[in-house]
Amino acid sequence: MPSIRVLAEREEKGVRFTSGHTLCAGCAEPMVVRTVLNAIEDPVVVATPTGCLEVATSRFPGTAWNVPWIHVAFENAAAVISGVEAAYKALKKKGLIDKRVRFVVFAGDGGTYDIGFQALSGALERGHDFLYVCLNNEAYMNTGVQRSSATPKCAAATTAPVGEVIPGKPQERKDLTEIVAAHGIPYVAQAAVSHLIDLANKVERAMKYEGPKFINVLTTCPLGWRTPRDSAIQQSKLAVETRYWPLYEVIEGRYKINYKPKERVPIEEWLKTQGRFRHLFRDPRGKELIAQIQAEVDRRWELLLKKEQCFGVGD
Amino acid sequence: MELVVRLAGAAGQGVQSLGEVLVRSLFRSGLFVHGELSYHSRIRGGENAFTVRLADRPLFATRREADLLVVLTPEMWRAYGARLRPGAWVVAEEGAAPEGPRVLRLPALQLAREKLGLPLAQGVVLLGAAARLLGLNPSAVERALQEVFGAKAGPNLQAFALGWERAPGPAWELPPPRFGPGERMLLTGGQAVGAGALAAGCRFLAAYPMTPGTPVLEFLAQRGERYGVVVEQAEDEIAAINMALGAAYAGARAMVTTSGGGFALMVEGLSLAGMIETPVVIHLGQRPGPATGLPTRTSQENLLFALYAGHGEFPRYLTAPATPESAFYLTMQAFELAEAYQVPAILLTDQFLVDSYAVVPALDPGRVPLREHTLSPQELERLERYERFAPTPTGVSPRALPGASRHLVLVDSDEHDFYGRITEDLEIRKAMVEKRLRKEGYLAQETALPEVFPAELRGRVALLGWGSTYGALREAVEALNREEDRYAHVHFQDLWPVRWAEVEELLREARAVVTVEGNAWGQLGKLLRQETGIRPARHLARYDGRPFTPEDIVEAMRHAA
Ligand SMILES: Cc1ncc(C[n+]2csc(CCOP(=O)(O)OP(=O)(O)O)c2C)c(N)n1
Ligand code: SF4
Ligand SMILES: [Mg+2]
């Protein structure tokens, strides 16, 4: 497993994602990208659809990418990486290339859960050999914080505003990790920016498998979540501790929860630190809504425990 | 009297809010203002400039050079320091601009940090100094600060005072108020489209965020609850337009809002709307392409795309508002005509129009009468049988809503007969094509001919434009005519259908035709030539993502002469 030392050494040797981008101060995206890229030893080719990461890392004459990188339209990162991978395989077959090259997508939740979902599902089903990393910040940040299907219930977004009747987003978030797992691909995981070594381990494990691999990374966004700039890691940690964002893997259909919080931290602890949920603590219905959110967190956690029990790795 | 104030800083420094405060303060002082937002597509850094013009008459264009420049960073000084008019003042963060006459440098960041503990209020400190130089009434600015910053107004009011204290007295004398409270409105094109939709009885909006279509989505999302509009954010643009079509089939006045890339995904749905003769209003806010292009900039590159998008042949209404005022009325009209002719209606705006503030006469929704265009339950009850696509002289079939009566309301994307049942009978196919296309001739009678200024075109060089270039063109023609009275401004509002025979007759009077468009091809010019045979002598193109200014046009024409 890659230790911090190994990750640091790799970065020293040949940095893959550099500073000089214009992501917000305190944004979690660069930490995730660097960790993922450093956890892969082979050469990589990266595709990124439109979104904060793309816009902020690639403005000529600067670029943060020290690896081959392609920006594509918003809805088709998985389709483009499929094409790149297929071309690579063809070259390999013809003996025109012999290096082992890895293919990685970094895409936002909008570009993954919503508009890019069809392309993703198609690529998973066709079985291309690539790693898809969703930088899940739970909204469309690049276009000014609109809701996505990853946005949690009751979070405020410009298109799920807090009104007299409507308390932010009315719907539950989509459980994309499980939907991807249902494709029966070799490797699926959830990770969080607060647990970077766990993320690196997951990437390393994932890369042992041939075929599609998917990691959904909770990637906190101080701007959209309306939290202090220096809080990205704390926010993410609390999401894990409250079981809102379980760290787990589904490897060849086998479930493994990587971290089980010992204490039950109420979801309120997480909600109350974020501006996007502030209204819940002012609204007379707030208590009831928070209870609903808690119930859904519990339901998903219990379900996950059961899945691990039934389909666990058995260690 | 005209003054240009430019506020410039990096993204994240709140330049847009400063601009809003300034335009509101001037508006409250009874002055005509125009506020143009120009920004880089990035979250941090990059250029953010807000250009405010004020005058004693309505303004719908921006300017290249400023009389008062407020700069927060050295980069912005490098970008805009040379674009100053003679006698201009500069208010700058200390270190952002070099010392000089009429340069007021303030340690605004330090003041904001040390005195207020709020570094973000740096811009408001500078604004305070600028407001005093402008001769603004401080209470007008304070009120605007309260409106823009809401609960966070407190420290910003203090920041404003810190700047105000440090400025010398007024460098200009503002004109007396030109209008009283309630006579005029301050609004952006995006707000005008949203308000027009509400006034037109829009009941359903489905959209997917894409700059500069998003402001209309956000405007309606924030007001949907109050006005009974269902606002749905779809998972992509394909879903958005098809949701709108479903809502329209069920009887709701429905709309989508997007930009070029999203519209590209909607195209199949647009064609479906043509086939099932279901009204839908599409707000298409243009930005430079192809592909992702320049996400936050402006362009007029989608005229021909909007006109020809969609496979097969079917009528549509295509219109391009010139100002926030016309955006309001044309949005209403788009809903009306879409309903009346059962066609898709496309509102073609752009980032410049959507994001710019202007002062317009108080809006009067009564100016566009709203009619019911579907059969009432009583009318339906009287009908023995109902054919959704019955052939009529105008091609418009009586429209029933599903569930409103015992009659079945069939629609189909395949070619269909008068009932809406799938058919491969080629005679019926022919009749259906003719019926659909017949609507266009009647729709054309409801569209406006281009506006001509001055009214007599004979012997003049006609500068032809459409959409948001209106203000720049009008000012340019006025300026050119002061030198030599031989120019005219011809502005298209409705772009399809157009009564081309009348347009041809009109334009044949002109000595020459020059197109002025925010695209490289001269798309209106191509259309004009195709439909009338008139070939523009020249095309003044702008495709760098910025809006035309009057001086751009004046200089280009002088150069040609
Ligand atoms: C077809 C199309 N529709 C809409 C857009 C506008 N758009 C660009 S980035 C973006 C949001 C990105 O959100 P997400 O994928 O979550 O990434 P984030 O910026 O949050 O990291 C949107 C809506 C587009 N580029 N293309
Ligand atoms: S808006 Fe959020 S995701 Fe985008 S750069 Fe800023 S912090 Fe990162
Ligand atoms: Mg996102």
Side-chain angles (χ1 to χ4, degrees):
Chain A
M1 293 292 114
S3 63
I4 291 186
R5 250 227 351 258
V6 173
L7 294 176
E9 273 167 17
R10 284 193 193 148
E11 178 141 333
E12 293 265 287
K13 213 162 67 203
V15 62
R16 290 183 156 181
F17 183 84
T18 70
S19 57
H21 51 73
T22 55
L23 291 155
C24 297
C27 176
E29 290 193 351
M31 290 179 259
V32 174
V33 174
R34 279 171 59 190
T35 304
V36 169
L37 291 179
N38 288 336
I40 303 174
E41 259 204 294
D42 296 320
V44 292
V45 174
V46 175
T48 305
T50 316
C52 276
L53 183 69
E54 170 263 325
V55 165
T57 58
S58 59
R59 186 101 22 192
F60 187 78
T63 174
W65 300 95
N66 219 358
V67 293
W69 179 83
I70 181 171
H71 163 231
V72 298
F74 189 30
E75 62 276 23
N76 53 21
V80 170
I81 208 75
S82 300
V84 176
E85 184 258 10
Y88 162 77
K89 275 196 174 144
L91 290 176
K92 205 155 188 194
K93 209 149 132 197
K94 288 184 188 160
L96 294 170
I97 198 167
D98 58 0
K99 269 202 286 228
R100 171 120 207 229
V101 180
R102 302 308 202 113
F103 303 95
V104 182
V105 171
F106 289 106
D109 48 297
T112 306
Y113 280 61
D114 293 338
I115 198 168
F117 180 65
Q118 182 171 337
L120 172 63
S121 181
L124 300 179
E125 187 271 337
R126 284 189 305 271
H128 296 278
D129 188 21
F130 72 112
L131 170 67
Y132 192 108
V133 179
C134 178
L135 303 174
N136 184 359
N137 52 24
E138 303 194 320
Y140 293 90
M141 297 311 176
N142 185 234
T143 40
V145 201
Q146 292 85 23
R147 56 90 92 190
S148 77
S149 59
T151 305
K153 183 169 160 158
C154 291
T158 58
T159 51
V162 175
E164 273 160 35
V165 183
I166 303 167
K169 189 185 166 197
Q171 300 88 355
E172 288 292 349
R173 64 201 153 114
K174 187 191 272 181
D175 194 345
L176 187 72
T177 311
E178 287 301 296
I179 296 169
V180 170
H183 285 72
I185 61 170
Y187 187 91
V188 178
Q190 254 184 207
V193 66
S194 46
H195 295 67
L196 287 175
I197 291 295
D198 173 72
L199 172 63
N201 288 341
K202 282 174 174 164
V203 173
E204 199 179 69
R205 264 199 299 280
M207 295 324 265
K208 297 206 172 90
Y209 294 88
E210 173 93 28
K213 299 158 277 273
F214 177 87
I215 307 182
N216 197 350
V217 189
L218 187 70
T219 309
T220 38
C221 162
L223 187 120
W225 292 23
R226 291 191 262 135
T227 54
R229 280 185 192 175
D230 56 2
S231 71
I233 300 298
Q234 274 162 298
Q235 286 299 334
S236 166
K237 209 177 238 166
L238 260 177
V240 173
E241 292 296 334
T242 53
R243 302 166 182 177
Y244 169 86
W245 193 259
L247 305 177
Y248 73 101
E249 291 170 295
V250 190
I251 305 178
E252 296 185 312
R254 300 265 157 213
Y255 279 74
K256 183 179 163 79
I257 302 177
N258 309 101
Y259 173 64
K260 291 181 186 152
K262 282 189 197 63
E263 277 170 57
R264 185 170 180 280
V265 183
I267 193 67
E268 201 173 329
E269 296 300 309
W270 184 63
L271 302 174
K272 75 179 181 199
T273 58
Q274 300 169 39
R276 60 179 177 158
F277 294 112
R278 186 173 302 142
H279 55 285
L280 291 179
F281 298 88
R282 296 179 181 161
D283 193 309
R285 294 161 304 170
K287 271 211 154 57
E288 187 193 318
L289 291 165
I290 293 169
Q292 287 173 17
I293 298 171
Q294 181 70 61
E296 179 62 15
V297 167
D298 294 345
R299 188 190 70 80
R300 290 190 189 197
W301 176 255
E302 293 301 326
L303 188 64
L304 189 62
L305 285 176
K306 282 196 189 116
K307 283 180 180 164
E308 191 192 39
Q309 238 168 39
C310 298
F311 317 112
V313 282
D315 55 354
Chain B
M1 157 82 187
E2 187 207 326
L3 270 180
V4 180
V5 185
R6 178 166 289 132
L7 311 162
Q13 287 185 317
V15 168
Q16 189 176 352
S17 308
L18 298 180
E20 263 177 56
V21 171
L22 188 57
V23 285
R24 279 170 186 262
S25 317
L26 292 162
F27 171 68
R28 295 255 182 262
S29 313
L31 298 176
F32 287 98
V33 283
H34 181 273
E36 180 230 350
L37 173 67
S38 164
Y39 64 113
H40 262 141
S41 164
R42 47 170 100 168
I43 314 108
R44 192 162 58 87
E47 162 212 319
N48 253 26
F50 200 104
T51 303
V52 179
R53 277 179 84 195
L54 68 104
D56 40 21
R57 58 174 204 149
L59 294 168
F60 302 106
T62 189
R63 279 247 186 251
R64 214 157 52 202
E65 294 174 346
D67 300 294
L68 170 57
L69 174 65
V70 179
V71 279
L72 280 83
T73 66
E75 291 75 34
M76 287 301 98
W77 169 256
R78 282 195 288 277
Y80 291 108
R83 285 200 239 159
L84 294 175
R85 293 208 276 209
W89 271 84
V90 175
V91 174
E93 172 64 44
E94 220 167 44
E99 284 176 52
R102 293 187 308 278
V103 177
L104 178 63
R105 303 186 336 148
L106 297 179
L109 182 59
Q110 193 191 339
L111 287 169
R113 190 184 286 135
E114 287 173 9
K115 303 227 165 177
L116 305 168
L118 185 67
L120 249 179
Q122 172 194 13
V124 181
V125 175
L126 296 175
L127 185 70
R132 185 158 195 187
L133 277 173
L134 276 174
L136 263 166
N137 182 341
S139 63
V141 190
E142 282 160 5
R143 189 164 154 206
L145 281 166
Q146 257 145 4
E147 286 170 355
V148 172
F149 290 101
K152 286 182 226 137
N156 283 300
L157 287 167
Q158 284 171 275
F160 173 74
L162 287 174
W164 181 274
E165 286 160 9
R166 284 165 174 77
W172 293 278
E173 195 182 332
L174 291 180
R178 298 289 150 167
F179 49 84
E183 289 169 30
R184 305 243 162 200
M185 294 171 96
L186 172 72
L187 78 171
T188 65
Q191 292 169 339
V193 170
L198 291 178
C202 174
R203 284 286 164 268
F204 186 88
L205 175 96
Y208 192 70
M210 187 161 196
T211 313
T214 314
V216 175
L217 166 62
E218 292 177 344
F219 182 91
L220 289 171
Q222 278 144 24
R223 289 164 184 79
E225 202 175 276
R226 194 150 107 220
Y227 291 94
V229 188
V230 175
V231 178
E232 287 288 2
Q233 188 185 315
E235 69 273 27
D236 62 20
E237 289 87 351
I238 301 175
I241 191 160
N242 286 291
M243 286 163 82
L245 288 177
Y249 167 68
R253 290 190 170 208
M255 185 185 198
V256 297
T257 176
T258 186
S259 185
F263 181 67
L265 294 187
M266 291 184 178
V267 166
E268 193 199 16
L270 175 69
S271 176
L272 177 64
M275 187 57 146
I276 62 177
E277 301 190 50
T278 297
V280 63
V281 174
I282 300 170
H283 170 241
L284 167 48
Q286 299 167 98
R287 68 192 217 189
T292 317
L294 291 167
T296 58
R297 302 290 178 177
T298 199
S299 94
Q300 295 187 308
E301 292 170 19
N302 292 342
L303 167 57
L304 294 178
F305 179 36
L307 180 55
Y308 293 121
H311 49 295
E313 297 169 316
F314 57 93
R316 74 191 69 199
Y317 173 52
L318 176 60
T319 190
T323 63
E325 183 185 12
S326 76
F328 176 79
Y329 294 115
L330 284 179
T331 304
M332 291 193 71
Q333 167 143 322
F335 274 95
E336 260 318 281
L337 292 180
E339 291 282 319
Y341 291 89
Q342 303 173 18
V343 292
I346 304 173
L347 275 168
L348 202 53
T349 68
D350 53 45
Q351 182 268 331
F352 174 62
L353 180 62
V354 166
D355 287 339
S356 292
Y357 282 91
V359 176
V360 303
L363 301 171
D364 171 19
R367 244 170 68 180
V368 182
L370 300 181
R371 297 194 180 83
E372 188 49 63
H373 299 281
T374 55
L375 295 170
S376 68
Q378 293 78 4
E379 285 170 302
L380 277 163
E381 211 42 56
R382 283 199 292 276
L383 289 179
E384 190 116 322
R385 31 174 234 160
Y386 172 70
E387 295 173 329
R388 171 66 187 89
F389 300 104
T392 59
T394 60
V396 179
S397 313
R399 180 165 162 237
L401 299 181
S405 70
R406 64 198 152 86
H407 297 296
L408 185 63
V409 183
L410 274 180
V411 295
D412 202 289
S413 143
D414 281 86
E415 189 57 278
H416 40 258
D417 66 8
F418 303 148
Y419 279 105
R421 297 174 299 213
I422 297 184
T423 183
E424 291 203 28
D425 180 321
L426 303 183
E427 282 309 308
I428 296 180
R429 150 74 184 174
K430 236 177 119 237
M432 291 305 287
V433 170
E434 286 155 12
K435 167 196 131 50
R436 287 191 289 264
L437 295 187
R438 229 170 15 247
K439 296 193 286 187
E440 192 169 278
Y442 292 90
L443 178 56
Q445 295 311 312
E446 307 223 23
T447 58
L449 284 174
E451 181 183 324
V452 183
F453 169 89
E456 179 63 50
L457 195 55
R458 191 180 308 271
R460 290 179 183 270
V461 176
L463 271 62
L464 232 64
W466 58 277
S468 73
T469 53
Y470 181 88
L473 265 165
R474 178 58 55 91
E475 286 188 45
V477 165
E478 283 169 354
L480 286 164
N481 283 349
R482 278 196 290 274
E483 289 167 22
E484 192 183 355
D485 190 10
R486 58 190 289 262
Y487 297 93
H489 173 200
V490 177
H491 210 79
F492 280 72
Q493 160 194 300
D494 291 327
L495 291 161
W496 202 266
V498 176
R499 279 134 56 194
W500 287 111
E502 288 164 73
V503 169
E504 180 175 352
E505 202 179 317
L506 177 87
L507 288 178
R508 292 275 178 215
E509 301 260 294
R511 176 203 300 260
V513 167
V514 174
T515 50
V516 182
E517 301 179 62
N519 58 51
W521 280 348
Q523 300 195 10
L524 178 61
K526 280 181 186 290
L527 190 59
L528 180 72
R529 189 172 172 204
Q530 169 184 307
E531 297 293 332
T532 66
I534 295 173
R535 182 186 201 141
R538 250 185 100 195
H539 172 47
L540 295 190
R542 176 139 217 183
Y543 40 83
D544 62 356
R546 290 181 189 279
F548 274 103
T549 64
E551 51 270 34
D552 293 332
I553 301 168
V554 169
E555 283 162 23
M557 292 310 293
R558 264 197 212 129
H559 191 69

